[in-house]
Amino acid sequence: MSSTPVVERIVFSTSRTAEFLDWRALQSQTGQPRARFGDVIIKELLDNALDAAESARVHPEIGLAVTWADDVARVCVADNGPGLQGGVIERILDFTRNVSDKESLRSPTRGMQGNAFKTLLGIPYALGVSEPVVVEALGVRHEIAVSADPSGDVATRYTQVDSPRTVGTSVTVPLPAEQVTAEAVAGWLQKFALVNPHARFVDHGQTGCGDGAGIYEPTAPQGWRKPLPTDPTSAHHYDEAAMTKLVFAHIREHRAGGPDPTVRAFTNTFAGLTGSAKAKKVADQVPGITHLSGFEEHPDQVPVLLAAMKHHSKPPTPSYLGQVRRDHYTHVLEHAFGVEEDWFARKQLTDAAGIPWSIEVAIARTKRPGAVCFAVNYSATFGDPLANTHLAGDSFASAGVRSFLAQTDAAPTFGNQSCRAAIVHLVCPVPQFTDKGKTALVVPSEVADACAKALTAATRVLLRDKRSKQAAERRELRAAEREYKAHAVGRAASKVSKKDAVFTVMREAIGQARGAEGLSFSSHTLFYKIRPLALRLLPAGTKLKAPYVEQKLIPDWERENGPIQGLYREPRGTLHHPHDPAGTRDVRLGTREVQQYIPPKWSYNKILVIEKTGLWPPVRESGIAEQYDMAVITNEGYGTEACRELLAKMPPGDVQIFVLHDADPYGYNIARTLGEETARMPDHRVKVIDLGLTVDDAQAKGLDSEPDTRDAALPARILPHLSDPARQWFTGEPCAWQPNGKPAKWRYQRVELNAFSSPELIAYIKEGLARHQALGKVIPPDSALRSTARQRLHHRVVGAVGEAIDAMFRMDRLVPAVYADLDTDQITDIGSADLAQLQARRPSLSWEDAVTTLVDSRMPGDPHLTALARQAVAEQLAADRR
């Protein structure tokens, strides 16, 4: 009997470090969408450069240069710090560990992401750029390029050559050119300059707007100080969990070959405990433990150590957080936007947990369009850190700063109103961020109150002026209405025009639509406010219809008086992308939606505009959009202003635009107005190819015509576009007359697109595309093809690795093992009183989000939870080996 050979199976371990090279994972790690990776790079480089210079205790001099060539933007930031050591770079290249000098520390310093530099190395690869990241410091040029090898690990190409840079560090990161704009670079420089009065910022690249436009000089007086990365932190900033995390971070470093600090030396690193006598008194409270490694066997003694450290030191006051003076904010805002008038407020406090806070708010009325800037701990953020915070003003409340500013007339506005700029800066040694991008904060209620008071103080004058202006407008409107009514008494009622009535009440109607909160409103909402006011001035029985007011009178009023602030047009059409069967990327064509829409690259090179939404199903089912890489816009009737604005956003010559319409005067006019200027859009000019339906085509196809009537003469501007048969059809014959004997109605012939069967319609569209030599399929350049191929390969490999890991590690065994080490009753014991208390501070939360927030706040820290998971995995591996 032959024996079967026994194969000794090898248990493989698969690294997840390649997640630093996947754009989806990088979105999670950075807290920003892929489209903002360029912003991530600029912000992190500026943060690192400032920290490096401050660590060397010199006034920071930060240079930023961006150059664009060969479809690549190279972002370079240089500092005057001590220079990055080669050994630090080698540690950064260990993708299995985070390398940070801030991890576990509680100090009002920037960043604190812990893996920021690794993301800077991974982002170029994730976006399809093969060039290396270049670091120059201490006479050495380090070139680093990372990629994912077939096993899923990070493969690194790392070379060193000589460099002329001996002072400071420069880091250059290559990105796709579209990831970085000159406006974004200028914006980040301005935001960082706003909250760093001790630093000099210079734009060395091609992003400046003129001589000196890219230079921000320091304004801080002699002796000005902010907390530095090298300053001792305070024991009063820590609770027991945070101190335990810090102690065990030191223990982890010791296991990896690092030093094992004594308890006294560790104590000396904290503010107020640098003396040997105090350090001895603290150490005496944990007898038997001489070095931090001793806490590994006695973790219960960490709270004893913390209590002793707090007892022998004083809690810091908010003054140690530093201050940015009002004149500095004014100086930078003047440099960026031109300041006509400005206001400033500062609030400093210590919250109930003993944590100091500083809130600074500067508001300016500017000469040029401004912006709202946010910063936390002397670092610009990606957005509003208080976006989810309830802020109560004197007579209103808002969720977040932007809404607060909008209600006080302090938000940036354009058109016929003055421009605004604002900066809100928070400093705190223990910021509790809710996102990986270090933007959204959770703040105690007393801090939210202080923020609201600072905003109220800084915006008081603007709010008073806004209310005075509104009161004056109401008085003017009432006077105008009285004058108009008195004048109307002496006129025949028939001479009061609808336009005069609507224009008379327009401002009052706008005020009603906007409300005291200053919220946005649709044109249809405005119509409903206009109608009852205007009808009081018109003869009894007069009708005022929405299309006439919304599409004619409101635009006419705007041309005479300027844009109506807050007004938007509701969507009246849809843009359908090809290769999107579920319609997940459909864009509704309203003014706000079109303003936010960015045409995707390499998605389509043709757009077909169809005047009937009901024809989309057969067009979708036919696959013609995918066959021709063609987006389809469906409208009801005339193309809206938003539709024409979207067409105008297309790069000239890159996208062909076709239109399909009924064979009637309105259809011909639709084709014309899509591409030509109109009264509402006098500068609009887009090349539009008319596919029909034309009268000549309808006759040639044998389509049945139908009679119709119209109330006006043919539009003069379409006459040159009409063939003889079309002119004959559309002119028709008078069928009703006015009292003066002129025609009031005409009977004419027309054909709708619906006269086609669905297959006939698709065939007609294809004939038109061929006749007008429609472009071929979308084919990106080779660089984009290779980049996409690499991404697809990487996703397949990552998916395969994930499936292998899932097969090796059974979740039905791992999850209960982790649960066993958690106090699940304490974490999940959530009642209505808990939700009510949280939602009182954050009213915008749903009950599901509130439960998630409470669970997160009760969970152990990520390192502890990760350690439990690793332990469960290790135990399963050991059990499998047995």
Side-chain angles (χ1 to χ4, degrees):
M1 183 174 179
S2 62
S3 60
T4 302
V6 177
V7 178
E8 185 71 23
R9 297 293 182 188
I10 300 175
V11 178
F12 295 97
S13 62
T14 304
S15 170
R16 296 221 170 186
T17 57
E19 291 180 356
F20 284 101
L21 311 183
D22 179 78
W23 65 265
R24 293 180 180 85
L26 285 166
Q27 285 185 147
S28 174
Q29 293 187 47
T30 63
Q32 296 301 311
R34 175 180 180 176
R36 296 203 68 185
F37 280 178
D39 294 313
V40 171
I41 295 292
I42 295 173
K43 171 177 161 54
E44 291 296 343
L45 291 180
L46 290 173
D47 275 334
N48 293 344
L50 285 164
D51 283 347
E54 289 178 357
S55 297
R57 296 183 177 266
V58 298
H59 291 294
E61 291 197 8
I62 311 300
L64 172 60
V66 181
T67 56
W68 290 266
D70 303 324
D71 294 327
V72 175
R74 297 165 183 86
V75 181
C76 177
V77 173
D79 62 62
N80 60 332
L84 194 62
Q85 300 280 347
V88 175
I89 294 177
E90 292 174 359
R91 292 182 66 195
I92 290 171
L93 294 180
D94 180 0
F95 278 80
T96 63
R97 304 178 65 203
N98 287 347
V99 178
S100 173
D101 58 0
K102 302 172 187 174
E103 184 184 2
S104 305
L105 290 177
R106 290 194 161 191
S107 177
T109 54
R110 306 178 185 88
M112 302 169 65
Q113 184 174 301
N115 58 6
F117 209 98
K118 289 183 174 64
T119 62
L120 300 189
L121 294 175
I123 283 175
Y125 174 81
L127 296 180
V129 177
S130 59
E131 283 189 22
V133 173
V134 177
V135 180
E136 296 187 71
L138 303 175
V140 180
R141 175 184 173 94
H142 309 265
E143 295 187 358
I144 309 161
V146 297
S147 59
D149 68 18
S151 71
D153 277 329
V154 175
T156 305
R157 300 195 312 274
Y158 176 33
T159 60
Q160 301 179 44
V161 295
D162 291 340
S163 167
R165 177 173 288 278
T166 58
V167 176
T169 301
S170 73
V171 181
T172 303
V173 180
L175 296 167
E178 66 271 13
Q179 279 278 336
V180 184
T181 66
E183 293 78 12
V185 173
W188 282 109
L189 274 179
Q190 173 242 317
K191 287 185 282 190
F192 270 87
L194 270 170
V195 291
N196 289 279
H198 60 312
R200 184 173 190 262
F201 294 89
V202 182
D203 178 358
H204 290 300
Q206 304 170 9
T207 58
C209 303
D211 293 339
I215 300 177
Y216 291 91
E217 299 289 352
T219 66
Q222 188 70 26
W224 182 88
R225 202 177 192 284
K226 65 171 287 294
L228 301 178
T230 53
D231 285 349
T233 184
S234 172
H236 293 270
H237 297 340
Y238 294 80
D239 55 20
E240 293 179 2
M243 182 57 70
T244 301
K245 180 179 179 181
L246 177 61
V247 169
F248 276 79
H250 280 281
I251 294 173
R252 184 181 66 225
E253 288 300 307
H254 172 57
R255 288 180 190 156
D260 183 13
T262 65
V263 174
R264 290 191 184 187
F266 176 71
T267 302
N268 285 151
T269 63
F270 288 83
L273 298 171
T274 55
S276 58
K278 287 187 177 182
K280 181 179 183 303
K281 291 178 181 179
V282 171
D284 288 344
Q285 299 302 307
V286 286
I289 301 178
T290 58
H291 292 72
L292 291 190
S293 58
F295 287 102
E296 189 166 14
E297 296 182 1
H298 303 283
D300 58 311
Q301 292 299 297
V302 174
V304 178
L305 173 70
L306 176 61
M309 295 168 70
K310 289 184 176 180
H311 177 73
H312 290 287
S313 62
K314 295 181 179 180
T317 63
S319 61
Y320 103 97
L321 299 175
Q323 296 181 353
V324 179
R325 302 194 323 175
R326 172 179 181 171
D327 59 359
H328 174 74
Y329 286 128
T330 304
H331 169 76
V332 178
L333 293 176
E334 166 66 27
H335 185 285
F337 309 117
V339 173
E340 294 180 342
E341 190 175 6
D342 66 286
W343 303 270
F344 176 78
R346 178 186 293 114
K347 299 292 180 183
Q348 293 189 323
L349 74 154
T350 299
D351 66 23
I355 304 300
W357 288 80
S358 176
I359 304 108
E360 295 171 339
V361 179
I363 309 289
R365 181 184 287 120
T366 58
K367 300 173 184 176
R368 299 183 293 278
V372 180
C373 306
F374 302 97
V376 174
N377 290 350
Y378 300 90
S379 175
T381 63
F382 290 104
D384 181 2
L386 302 175
N388 297 321
T389 302
H390 179 74
L391 300 172
D394 289 340
S395 57
F396 63 88
S398 73
V401 172
R402 293 189 185 276
S403 176
F404 194 105
L405 296 179
Q407 296 184 67
T408 58
D409 198 31
T413 57
F414 311 98
N416 60 346
Q417 297 189 22
S418 298
C419 298
R420 306 282 188 265
I423 169 68
V424 177
H425 182 201
L426 291 85
V427 186
C428 169
V430 193
Q432 296 186 38
F433 292 105
T434 62
D435 64 324
K436 293 292 185 70
K438 305 300 179 185
T439 293
L441 282 175
V442 175
V443 301
S445 58
E446 59 270 32
V447 176
D449 291 342
C451 292
K453 289 177 181 178
L455 286 163
T456 298
T459 59
R460 183 170 286 117
V461 173
L462 285 172
L463 179 58
R464 182 194 64 203
D465 292 348
K466 176 184 178 182
R467 289 174 174 169
S468 297
K469 182 179 179 181
Q470 289 174 338
E473 287 178 349
R474 287 193 293 269
R475 288 193 298 270
E476 291 176 4
L477 286 171
R478 287 194 293 269
E481 185 176 348
R482 288 193 298 271
E483 180 181 353
Y484 184 85
K485 287 181 178 179
H487 183 63
V489 170
R491 303 190 319 169
S494 61
K495 294 190 177 179
V496 179
S497 73
K498 294 179 180 179
K499 180 176 180 179
D500 288 343
V502 169
F503 276 36
T504 297
V505 304
M506 183 67 77
R507 293 189 186 278
E508 184 177 355
I510 291 170
Q512 292 181 8
R514 181 183 294 128
E517 293 79 8
L519 302 179
S520 299
F521 53 94
S522 72
S523 56
H524 204 49
T525 296
L526 181 56
F527 163 72
Y528 272 93
K529 299 303 178 185
I530 289 171
R531 184 168 61 180
L533 298 173
L535 289 179
R536 292 206 301 259
L537 308 181
L538 292 166
T542 302
K543 294 182 179 180
L544 203 57
K545 295 185 178 181
Y548 176 61
V549 174
E550 295 176 32
Q551 299 174 30
K552 178 68 170 66
L553 297 186
I554 292 176
D556 286 350
W557 192 91
E558 286 188 300
R559 276 192 293 278
E560 294 184 16
N561 298 275
I564 298 173
Q565 299 304 313
L567 174 67
Y568 63 90
R569 269 79 182 182
E570 295 174 344
R572 288 179 49 216
T574 304
L575 169 69
H576 307 276
H577 290 80
H579 312 289
D580 182 29
T584 57
R585 293 188 293 163
D586 284 358
V587 179
R588 296 287 287 144
L589 299 184
T591 51
R592 293 178 300 178
E593 291 82 359
V594 169
Q595 287 170 1
Q596 298 169 3
Y597 178 67
I598 300 176
K601 295 188 68 173
W602 321 123
S603 177
Y604 55 84
N605 59 4
K606 291 170 283 293
I607 297 177
L608 173 62
V609 182
I610 306 176
E611 72 157 287
K612 293 178 178 292
T613 58
L615 294 179
W616 167 238
V619 170
R620 180 193 64 219
E621 294 165 9
S622 72
I624 191 173
E626 288 70 30
Q627 180 182 347
Y628 286 88
D629 287 342
M630 178 171 64
V632 178
I633 291 176
T634 52
N635 277 321
E636 281 295 345
Y638 282 96
T640 63
E641 189 172 323
C643 174
R644 285 179 282 152
E645 287 177 350
L646 183 139
L647 296 180
K649 293 178 74 167
M650 298 297 143
D654 291 349
V655 179
Q656 288 180 315
I657 300 170
F658 301 91
V659 60
L660 192 69
H661 56 82
D662 290 335
D664 61 17
Y666 308 104
Y668 276 64
N669 220 23
I670 286 169
R672 180 187 62 80
T673 57
L674 274 177
E676 297 180 8
E677 63 181 355
T678 61
R680 289 174 63 177
M681 298 182 68
D683 297 321
H684 176 74
R685 289 179 182 82
V686 175
K687 182 179 179 181
V688 175
I689 301 171
D690 187 353
L691 288 188
L693 179 64
T694 65
V695 170
D696 301 75
D697 285 347
Q699 291 178 328
K701 298 290 184 183
L703 300 178
D704 293 332
S705 64
E706 59 180 310
D708 199 359
T709 59
R710 67 173 192 279
D711 298 332
L714 286 175
R717 297 187 70 172
I718 73 166
L719 292 176
H721 303 279
L722 300 180
S723 64
D724 290 338
R727 186 176 289 106
Q728 183 179 354
W729 271 31
F730 296 164
T731 301
E733 298 177 350
C735 59
W737 285 263
Q738 301 177 23
N740 60 10
K742 292 184 178 180
K745 292 181 180 294
W746 287 261
R747 182 181 291 110
Y748 69 99
Q749 296 296 114
R750 65 190 295 269
V751 176
E752 288 196 11
L753 288 168
N754 300 88
F756 283 119
S757 68
S758 292
E760 289 171 343
L761 175 67
I762 302 306
Y764 180 71
I765 295 173
K766 290 182 178 181
E767 290 173 9
L769 294 174
R771 182 169 63 252
H772 292 284
Q773 298 180 337
L775 296 172
K777 297 281 287 183
V778 172
I779 301 180
D782 291 350
S783 59
L785 294 173
R786 286 191 289 269
S787 172
T788 303
R790 286 194 295 267
Q791 291 177 11
R792 297 296 185 271
L793 173 61
H794 176 65
H795 295 159
R796 292 296 179 89
V797 172
V798 169
V801 170
E803 290 178 4
I805 292 174
D806 292 340
M808 292 173 60
F809 299 103
R810 293 175 52 189
M811 289 297 166
D812 59 342
R813 293 168 57 186
L814 292 176
V815 172
V818 175
Y819 262 98
D821 291 320
L822 295 175
D823 188 351
T824 55
D825 291 339
Q826 187 274 332
I827 294 173
T828 60
D829 184 17
I830 294 172
S832 58
D834 299 305
L835 259 66
Q837 183 178 7
L838 177 59
Q839 290 176 329
R841 300 197 310 271
R842 301 174 61 188
S844 61
L845 286 179
S846 67
W847 71 265
E848 293 99 332
D849 291 341
V851 170
T852 301
T853 301
L854 290 169
V855 169
D856 289 345
S857 68
R858 299 177 183 185
M859 289 285 289
D862 288 345
H864 180 65
L865 195 61
T866 301
L868 292 179
R870 288 178 175 172
Q871 180 181 349
V873 170
E875 290 174 354
Q876 181 180 323
L877 283 174
D880 291 343
R881 291 193 185 100
R882 290 195 298 269

